[in-house]
Amino acid sequence: MAKYAVYLECGKGGLCMAHVLDLPGCFVRAANRSQALQALPEAIGAVAAWLRQHDEPAPGEAEAVLLEVAEEINDIGPFDPGDAAALFQPERASTDPKEMENAFRLMGHSRHDLLELIDSLPEEALPWQPYEQAFSIQRTLRHIGNAEEWYVSRILPAERLPAEWEHDDEMPLMEFLHMQRATALDCLRRLSAEERSGVYYPTLWTKHPGEAWTARKVLRRFLEHEREHTAQIRELIQQWRTNTPS
């Protein structure tokens, strides 16, 4: 039986996210705490299958799961763009270059999945919206890139951010995505040992100046955020195909 420590962030009328920090990219979002915990074993299985797909070490397919809540943070949670996200106790620990490269490798798998998903889409699919005000595939991809820029800015001062980010909204979409990832990883690789162990409370570009950030939290949010939106893009593609005459 595999035992997993679960980290919860709950707020906004009961909405809850459950994370398994020992399985990077493993989380669920649910209407309440109980539903989040109920959904977690399936999510663990899905992440394990994803890791195996990319030849990464993973739990066995038939392995039973035992969950134990290790930490719960209330009245917080990234449920909408701009919301504060929890910093869990293990994420206050310093990280090192080897751990970071492991995280970058998983982020590479996630980006491969995203690009493979959209590779054969016709141009007209990108701006399609299922309803007015909904995120299109195009807008979601921009959001993924912009979020990565923002995550890095949580632990680096503005003067050390890449000059390429100043006018990136003018770049073609795919060029923008590739540039954002490459420059973000370069910034993270250049972090000093002191910066990799720091706890930061950024006041720029945030509605939550008291929100704490660390390098570990940045790495977690990179992977969780892209995997979540990749799933949303997959759903958008299905809806577009259903609503587009063949």
Side-chain angles (χ1 to χ4, degrees):
M1 176 175 289
K3 183 178 180 179
Y4 294 98
V6 179
Y7 295 83
L8 299 172
E9 52 186 332
C10 302
K12 287 193 174 182
L15 289 172
C16 191
M17 290 185 74
H19 310 260
V20 177
L21 302 187
D22 289 336
L23 274 179
C26 183
F27 72 97
V28 296
R29 180 191 298 252
N32 55 55
R33 183 184 190 276
S34 176
Q35 289 182 19
L37 291 171
Q38 289 173 8
L40 205 49
E42 182 177 349
I44 289 171
V47 170
W50 176 72
L51 291 171
R52 286 192 296 271
Q53 175 189 342
H54 291 287
D55 298 319
E56 295 286 347
E61 292 185 58
E63 199 166 7
V65 169
L66 177 64
L67 303 177
E68 181 178 273
V69 176
E71 186 176 1
E72 183 170 350
I73 299 177
N74 293 303
D75 301 321
I76 196 169
F79 305 112
D80 295 306
D83 282 358
L87 174 68
F88 299 111
Q89 198 61 39
E91 295 175 322
R92 293 180 177 272
S94 177
T95 187
D96 59 42
K98 182 178 179 180
E99 289 179 311
M100 294 184 73
E101 290 300 326
N102 287 338
F104 298 158
R105 189 177 66 256
L106 296 180
M107 287 156 53
H109 298 330
S110 176
R111 180 52 55 91
H112 172 272
D113 294 345
L114 174 63
L115 295 180
E116 187 175 58
L117 186 63
I118 63 174
D119 181 57
S120 60
L121 281 180
E123 282 292 322
E124 60 267 24
L126 297 178
W128 181 84
Q129 297 168 276
Y131 57 89
E132 192 175 356
Q133 307 304 322
F135 268 50
S136 64
I137 295 170
Q138 180 175 277
R139 185 178 174 190
T140 303
L141 292 170
R142 285 278 176 185
H143 173 68
I144 290 170
N146 286 327
E148 295 187 352
E149 173 182 328
W150 188 75
Y151 293 146
V152 172
S153 77
R154 301 305 82 196
I155 59 175
L156 280 181
E159 61 270 19
R160 286 180 54 193
L161 300 178
E164 295 96 321
W165 292 1
E166 293 183 13
H167 304 290
D168 55 20
D169 56 336
E170 301 168 6
M171 297 179 68
L173 181 58
M174 299 311 298
E175 182 182 343
F176 161 79
L177 271 180
H178 290 304
M179 180 279 295
Q180 286 284 17
R181 174 57 64 88
T183 51
L185 294 193
D186 184 61
C187 286
L188 294 175
R189 285 190 170 107
R190 291 173 183 268
L191 293 175
S192 67
E194 182 179 2
E195 289 167 337
R196 292 195 304 271
S197 62
V199 179
Y200 304 88
Y201 297 88
T203 57
L204 288 176
W205 309 313
T206 180
K207 299 176 183 178
H208 309 281
E211 181 183 1
W213 285 84
T214 65
R216 284 185 181 275
K217 177 178 173 179
V218 167
L219 295 174
R220 171 172 64 84
R221 290 298 298 145
F222 255 81
L223 187 56
E224 287 183 345
H225 187 259
E226 183 169 67
R227 282 178 53 78
E228 179 174 22
H229 284 297
T230 297
Q232 291 176 349
I233 288 174
R234 187 174 290 109
E235 292 178 3
L236 275 172
I237 291 172
Q238 291 174 347
Q239 292 175 31
W240 172 77
R241 286 174 174 158
T242 299
N243 287 274
T244 302
S246 56

PDB file of all heavy atoms in Angstrom, residues 184-197:
ATOM      1  N   ALA A 184      12.091  31.579 -18.763  1.00  0.00           N
ATOM      2  CA  ALA A 184      11.726  31.285 -17.379  1.00  0.00           C
ATOM      3  C   ALA A 184      12.678  30.253 -16.785  1.00  0.00           C
ATOM      4  O   ALA A 184      13.164  30.407 -15.653  1.00  0.00           O
ATOM      5  CB  ALA A 184      10.287  30.783 -17.305  1.00  0.00           C
ATOM      6  N   LEU A 185      12.969  29.195 -17.527  1.00  0.00           N
ATOM      7  CA  LEU A 185      13.887  28.174 -17.031  1.00  0.00           C
ATOM      8  C   LEU A 185      15.286  28.741 -16.853  1.00  0.00           C
ATOM      9  O   LEU A 185      15.992  28.393 -15.893  1.00  0.00           O
ATOM     10  CB  LEU A 185      13.925  26.977 -17.973  1.00  0.00           C
ATOM     11  CG  LEU A 185      12.651  26.139 -18.101  1.00  0.00           C
ATOM     12  CD1 LEU A 185      12.955  24.830 -18.818  1.00  0.00           C
ATOM     13  CD2 LEU A 185      12.028  25.852 -16.744  1.00  0.00           C
ATOM     14  N   ASP A 186      15.692  29.616 -17.749  1.00  0.00           N
ATOM     15  CA  ASP A 186      17.007  30.238 -17.611  1.00  0.00           C
ATOM     16  C   ASP A 186      17.084  31.050 -16.320  1.00  0.00           C
ATOM     17  O   ASP A 186      18.087  30.977 -15.593  1.00  0.00           O
ATOM     18  CB  ASP A 186      17.283  31.133 -18.820  1.00  0.00           C
ATOM     19  CG  ASP A 186      18.674  31.742 -18.785  1.00  0.00           C
ATOM     20  OD1 ASP A 186      19.657  30.979 -18.790  1.00  0.00           O
ATOM     21  OD2 ASP A 186      18.776  32.982 -18.735  1.00  0.00           O
ATOM     22  N   CYS A 187      16.018  31.786 -16.011  1.00  0.00           N
ATOM     23  CA  CYS A 187      15.976  32.557 -14.759  1.00  0.00           C
ATOM     24  C   CYS A 187      16.085  31.630 -13.549  1.00  0.00           C
ATOM     25  O   CYS A 187      16.820  31.915 -12.595  1.00  0.00           O
ATOM     26  CB  CYS A 187      14.675  33.356 -14.675  1.00  0.00           C
ATOM     27  SG  CYS A 187      14.587  34.801 -15.743  1.00  0.00           S
ATOM     28  N   LEU A 188      15.346  30.540 -13.575  1.00  0.00           N
ATOM     29  CA  LEU A 188      15.335  29.626 -12.440  1.00  0.00           C
ATOM     30  C   LEU A 188      16.682  28.920 -12.283  1.00  0.00           C
ATOM     31  O   LEU A 188      17.151  28.688 -11.163  1.00  0.00           O
ATOM     32  CB  LEU A 188      14.209  28.613 -12.600  1.00  0.00           C
ATOM     33  CG  LEU A 188      12.789  29.189 -12.542  1.00  0.00           C
ATOM     34  CD1 LEU A 188      11.753  28.115 -12.840  1.00  0.00           C
ATOM     35  CD2 LEU A 188      12.511  29.832 -11.185  1.00  0.00           C
ATOM     36  N   ARG A 189      17.314  28.583 -13.384  1.00  0.00           N
ATOM     37  CA  ARG A 189      18.626  27.926 -13.311  1.00  0.00           C
ATOM     38  C   ARG A 189      19.689  28.860 -12.740  1.00  0.00           C
ATOM     39  O   ARG A 189      20.697  28.400 -12.194  1.00  0.00           O
ATOM     40  CB  ARG A 189      19.049  27.437 -14.698  1.00  0.00           C
ATOM     41  CG  ARG A 189      18.309  26.183 -15.157  1.00  0.00           C
ATOM     42  CD  ARG A 189      18.929  25.594 -16.415  1.00  0.00           C
ATOM     43  NE  ARG A 189      18.360  24.275 -16.708  1.00  0.00           N
ATOM     44  CZ  ARG A 189      17.508  24.025 -17.685  1.00  0.00           C
ATOM     45  NH1 ARG A 189      17.130  25.002 -18.501  1.00  0.00           N
ATOM     46  NH2 ARG A 189      17.034  22.806 -17.864  1.00  0.00           N
ATOM     47  N   ARG A 190      19.497  30.146 -12.862  1.00  0.00           N
ATOM     48  CA  ARG A 190      20.476  31.123 -12.390  1.00  0.00           C
ATOM     49  C   ARG A 190      20.283  31.492 -10.911  1.00  0.00           C
ATOM     50  O   ARG A 190      21.071  32.277 -10.370  1.00  0.00           O
ATOM     51  CB  ARG A 190      20.410  32.388 -13.241  1.00  0.00           C
ATOM     52  CG  ARG A 190      20.895  32.202 -14.671  1.00  0.00           C
ATOM     53  CD  ARG A 190      20.647  33.449 -15.504  1.00  0.00           C
ATOM     54  NE  ARG A 190      21.032  33.264 -16.887  1.00  0.00           N
ATOM     55  CZ  ARG A 190      22.238  33.562 -17.373  1.00  0.00           C
ATOM     56  NH1 ARG A 190      23.172  34.048 -16.566  1.00  0.00           N
ATOM     57  NH2 ARG A 190      22.504  33.364 -18.644  1.00  0.00           N
ATOM     58  N   LEU A 191      19.262  30.949 -10.271  1.00  0.00           N
ATOM     59  CA  LEU A 191      19.041  31.271  -8.859  1.00  0.00           C
ATOM     60  C   LEU A 191      20.243  30.837  -8.016  1.00  0.00           C
ATOM     61  O   LEU A 191      20.790  29.747  -8.206  1.00  0.00           O
ATOM     62  CB  LEU A 191      17.791  30.564  -8.338  1.00  0.00           C
ATOM     63  CG  LEU A 191      16.436  31.008  -8.903  1.00  0.00           C
ATOM     64  CD1 LEU A 191      15.333  30.112  -8.349  1.00  0.00           C
ATOM     65  CD2 LEU A 191      16.159  32.459  -8.578  1.00  0.00           C
ATOM     66  N   SER A 192      20.629  31.675  -7.080  1.00  0.00           N
ATOM     67  CA  SER A 192      21.704  31.316  -6.160  1.00  0.00           C
ATOM     68  C   SER A 192      21.170  30.378  -5.087  1.00  0.00           C
ATOM     69  O   SER A 192      19.948  30.210  -4.934  1.00  0.00           O
ATOM     70  CB  SER A 192      22.270  32.575  -5.499  1.00  0.00           C
ATOM     71  OG  SER A 192      21.284  33.154  -4.641  1.00  0.00           O
ATOM     72  N   ALA A 193      22.068  29.770  -4.331  1.00  0.00           N
ATOM     73  CA  ALA A 193      21.646  28.899  -3.236  1.00  0.00           C
ATOM     74  C   ALA A 193      20.784  29.667  -2.247  1.00  0.00           C
ATOM     75  O   ALA A 193      19.795  29.143  -1.724  1.00  0.00           O
ATOM     76  CB  ALA A 193      22.874  28.306  -2.545  1.00  0.00           C
ATOM     77  N   GLU A 194      21.129  30.912  -1.995  1.00  0.00           N
ATOM     78  CA  GLU A 194      20.347  31.740  -1.072  1.00  0.00           C
ATOM     79  C   GLU A 194      18.952  31.993  -1.628  1.00  0.00           C
ATOM     80  O   GLU A 194      17.957  31.914  -0.898  1.00  0.00           O
ATOM     81  CB  GLU A 194      21.062  33.069  -0.836  1.00  0.00           C
ATOM     82  CG  GLU A 194      20.349  33.980   0.146  1.00  0.00           C
ATOM     83  CD  GLU A 194      21.087  35.279   0.389  1.00  0.00           C
ATOM     84  OE1 GLU A 194      22.144  35.496  -0.233  1.00  0.00           O
ATOM     85  OE2 GLU A 194      20.601  36.099   1.203  1.00  0.00           O
ATOM     86  N   GLU A 195      18.866  32.260  -2.925  1.00  0.00           N
ATOM     87  CA  GLU A 195      17.560  32.510  -3.545  1.00  0.00           C
ATOM     88  C   GLU A 195      16.707  31.252  -3.589  1.00  0.00           C
ATOM     89  O   GLU A 195      15.486  31.317  -3.456  1.00  0.00           O
ATOM     90  CB  GLU A 195      17.757  33.078  -4.951  1.00  0.00           C
ATOM     91  CG  GLU A 195      18.294  34.496  -4.944  1.00  0.00           C
ATOM     92  CD  GLU A 195      18.790  34.949  -6.298  1.00  0.00           C
ATOM     93  OE1 GLU A 195      19.140  34.092  -7.140  1.00  0.00           O
ATOM     94  OE2 GLU A 195      18.833  36.176  -6.523  1.00  0.00           O
ATOM     95  N   ARG A 196      17.350  30.095  -3.745  1.00  0.00           N
ATOM     96  CA  ARG A 196      16.596  28.839  -3.766  1.00  0.00           C
ATOM     97  C   ARG A 196      16.059  28.467  -2.391  1.00  0.00           C
ATOM     98  O   ARG A 196      15.193  27.597  -2.274  1.00  0.00           O
ATOM     99  CB  ARG A 196      17.486  27.694  -4.287  1.00  0.00           C
ATOM    100  CG  ARG A 196      17.860  27.827  -5.754  1.00  0.00           C
ATOM    101  CD  ARG A 196      18.418  26.521  -6.302  1.00  0.00           C
ATOM    102  NE  ARG A 196      19.550  26.023  -5.542  1.00  0.00           N
ATOM    103  CZ  ARG A 196      20.815  26.324  -5.772  1.00  0.00           C
ATOM    104  NH1 ARG A 196      21.135  27.148  -6.770  1.00  0.00           N
ATOM    105  NH2 ARG A 196      21.784  25.801  -5.031  1.00  0.00           N
ATOM    106  N   SER A 197      16.542  29.115  -1.349  1.00  0.00           N
ATOM    107  CA  SER A 197      16.077  28.824   0.010  1.00  0.00           C
ATOM    108  C   SER A 197      15.249  29.957   0.608  1.00  0.00           C
ATOM    109  O   SER A 197      14.759  29.847   1.734  1.00  0.00           O
ATOM    110  CB  SER A 197      17.278  28.532   0.928  1.00  0.00           C
ATOM    111  OG  SER A 197      18.121  29.668   1.020  1.00  0.00           O
TER     112      SER A 197
END
